[in-house]
Amino acid sequence: MKTNSLEYSTEQNRLKILGFWIFLGAEIALFGTLFATYFTLVNRTGHGPVGSEIFELTPVLIETFVLLTSSFVIGLGINAMRLGNKKAMTIFFVITLLLGLTFLGVEIFEFIHYVDIGAGITVSAFTSALLTLLGTHGAHVTLGLFWGLAIVLQVAKRGITADTSNKAFIFSLYWHFLDVVWIFIFSFVYLKGMM
Amino acid sequence: MKEYFSRFAVPDNGEPMIIASQILIVIVSLGIIVGLTYFKKWKYLWNEWLTTVDHKRIGIMYILSALLMLFRGGVDALLMRAQTSMPENGLLDAQHYNEIFTTHGVIMILFMAMPFIIGLMNVVIPLQIGARDVAFPRLNALSFWLFFFGAMLFNISFVIGGSPDAGWTAYFPLASTEFSESVGMNYYAIAIQIAGIGTLMTGINFIVTILKMRAPGMTLMKMPMFTWSILITNIIIVFAFPVLTVALALMTMDRLFGTQFFTMSNGGMDMLWANLFWVWGHPEVYIVILPAFGIYSEIISTFAKRNLYGYKSMVFSMVAISALSFLVWAHHFYTMGHGAMVNGIFSITTMAIAVPTGVKMFNWLLTLYKGKIEFKTPMLWAMAFIPIFLIGGVTGVMLAMASADYQYHNTMFLVAHFHYVLIPGTVFAVLAGFTYWWPKIFGFSLSEKIGKWSFWFIAISFNVTFFPMFITGLNGQARRMYTYSESTGFGPLNFISFIGALGLAVGFVLIVYNIYWSTRYAPRHVTEDPWDARSLEWATHSPVPAYNFAVTPVVESTQAFWDAKEKGTQLFRGKYEPIHMPSNSGLPFIMGVLFFFFGFCMVFGMWIPSIIFGLAIFACMMYRSFEHDPGYHISVEEIKETEKKYGVNSHENQLA
């Protein structure tokens, strides 16, 4: 960890980064509970469909590819920020957000598809748990898009300062975290469900 | 139009008690508004309190709200005891009784015990670690306002729409729309959610504060015991509250959007709720008890005039308790059929908690051993705690035995048990802490005489109220039953309970009278250190100036201030320097109000206003993101001036 970087340069910045790591700890507990709920209810499909009947690989692969790439790109953005290259940083952040937007678009399409084939959120305990888990992740991505946009605008206006670099770095932690959650969703919801 | 507004009516409207409360609430609210306008206090209220980010003021607001909620919960308790004081009493009907025991539980745990503890930690922790404020002062204000408006939202259920009535545990399917038709359980899900978000943020805030902002020299193993207990408590908060967040969100979705998590058909699983609730609920018990252990550690060592015995074992036992607290949840429903194996494991983990708790008990006793004990009011609470809590603990081990629990489950024995742990454990502790730190907060002491009267009233009445419940419980009186027939023979003991409850009410009124009397008549200008105490909060002035410490203290032992007094070590080294302070902000208060209206609209399923208020909350967050708030500095001249007012003319000479 580069603790001599600008994002760590003030006392308040260091407090914020530690605070955000602890918040991510709470987020792990939150998603952990949602996963536990999902695993408990996954076979309780009632009259509704089971996972293998509704999951489709193509949109899920697109989502995975797009989100993982965005996580890589935001890493490049943070690297550019540490090199003090405002333009490159902005470009990488904008690409990250566009990839996030693509992810969200495909996910919304996926949700509409589920409703169309009779796997809406009210159908069974399984669909409720599935769509709540995916929806919570999707809501985090949505919030992240607005948050990231606010940071891009601030960097454009104020440049790379102790304040903006701290915000951008924390945002990157959040974005990577969403990626990690998605890897679990991809492996244990989709792949396991399709087997 | 009339149809639209009919949703706000309370289902059992026309009940005189509810109409009286509705009228009373309107009159009191009008009275407050008129009073503030007449005395021209709006500006003062806004500038000094509603927008404050000062941890001490936020702490005071938490404690005031907790006291207010103590009375709301207390009235519920009195009504319950009155209803069951005689067989086949007609004071309350079954529905009303259900509502009252539900709100009593929720309010006492979530809106009384929690904020009282968070209030004390707000006031004390930064002082005890020698810091100027918490890590995130504005987030701290937001935490408070979310708790406050969550509590208010929960409380208005009583007069608008109907109270929750499925017990504070809200077990499904009882809490589903099928069996709880009114909006009461919506209030439960959403109001607790709002307050819970605030609590989670408090947890993060205080972990960072304690880990990163301690005075130079204060290593983790030199922290005062109260600070240790708060650190561990907040770690539990951060890992337990997200579970509640999810559980309540799923409940909200089941009730409002027709999902199938806890339903009886389409694969839903009612026991999932019970599990999720107690995975949060049992750690929650330790969230309210560990800070109490910290408070008692401070008070016992101060008034026994002895160093706390077994510092390290105190810390390790708290860590052990916090780990075990996540491994015992299923003991709340042994009887719901999860088999001998599971019951056996949870029996063992539950009984294991008695071990670290016992270690703490012996440490307190050994701290007292050969001490010069002073029986001031805070110490009386601590002394009453030990034997009474022991009864609670021992009956807890009885309940922990799964096979025996089939006899005790859902009887008054259980009710007696958890009151025997929660009241001496938490209520006595916060009252003790409140009396103990009061002079530090306000600069004058509470009356010892009235304090002792309230102590004896509460300590004795507590036992009169709750001890008979052990007996009626073993005889088979079920909890949460609004009445019983005369032939059961429960009547006399329940009547004794009612008398005890009246005594408790007198005791709590005396506490409020003590605040009133002492505010008016108690001598002012207590010293920095009225109890001859040991930790850093007593090293600064009473009441504490906005910046806490003019010079950051330097610490060398677990009881830095005591060593400064006894051995003459220098606490304050160095000169005055300008102090950076965070600016006040109205945003947390505004967000609290918006959350209140957002929650209210959600409760009634009014989607369009919900979305509007939701967007407004989001706009506030965006505003905060773009806002540039560098804070301000208190200059050296100002510090000197303030210090002079406290009579420190040549503080700088002492500093050299």
Side-chain angles (χ1 to χ4, degrees), chain A residues 12 15 18-19 22-23 25-26 30 33 37 40-41 44 121-125 128-129 132 143 146 154 158 167, chain B residues 135-136 204 207-208 212 238-239 242-243 246 250 253 257-261 266-269 272 276 618 622 625-626:
Chain A
Q12 196 60 35
L15 295 180
L18 177 66
I22 296 169
F23 172 73
L30 183 110
T33 311
T37 303
T40 307
L41 300 176
R44 302 176 69 101
I121 197 164
T122 57
V123 171
S124 70
S128 297
T132 304
L143 189 82
F146 288 100
Q154 284 171 49
R158 296 173 198 161
K167 289 181 180 185
Chain B
F136 312 113
I204 295 170
I207 294 176
V208 178
K212 285 281 191 185
V238 166
F239 288 102
V243 183
V246 171
L250 303 186
M253 300 214 327
F257 306 125
T259 53
Q260 310 279 352
F261 290 104
N266 296 315
M269 192 196 255
L272 179 63
L276 289 179
F618 188 69
M622 274 292 162
S625 178
F626 283 93

Side-chain angles (χ1 to χ4, degrees), chain A residues 97-108:
Chain A
L97 296 179
L98 288 176
L99 289 168
L101 196 64
T102 315
F103 169 87
L104 202 64
V106 179
E107 186 163 60
I108 290 169

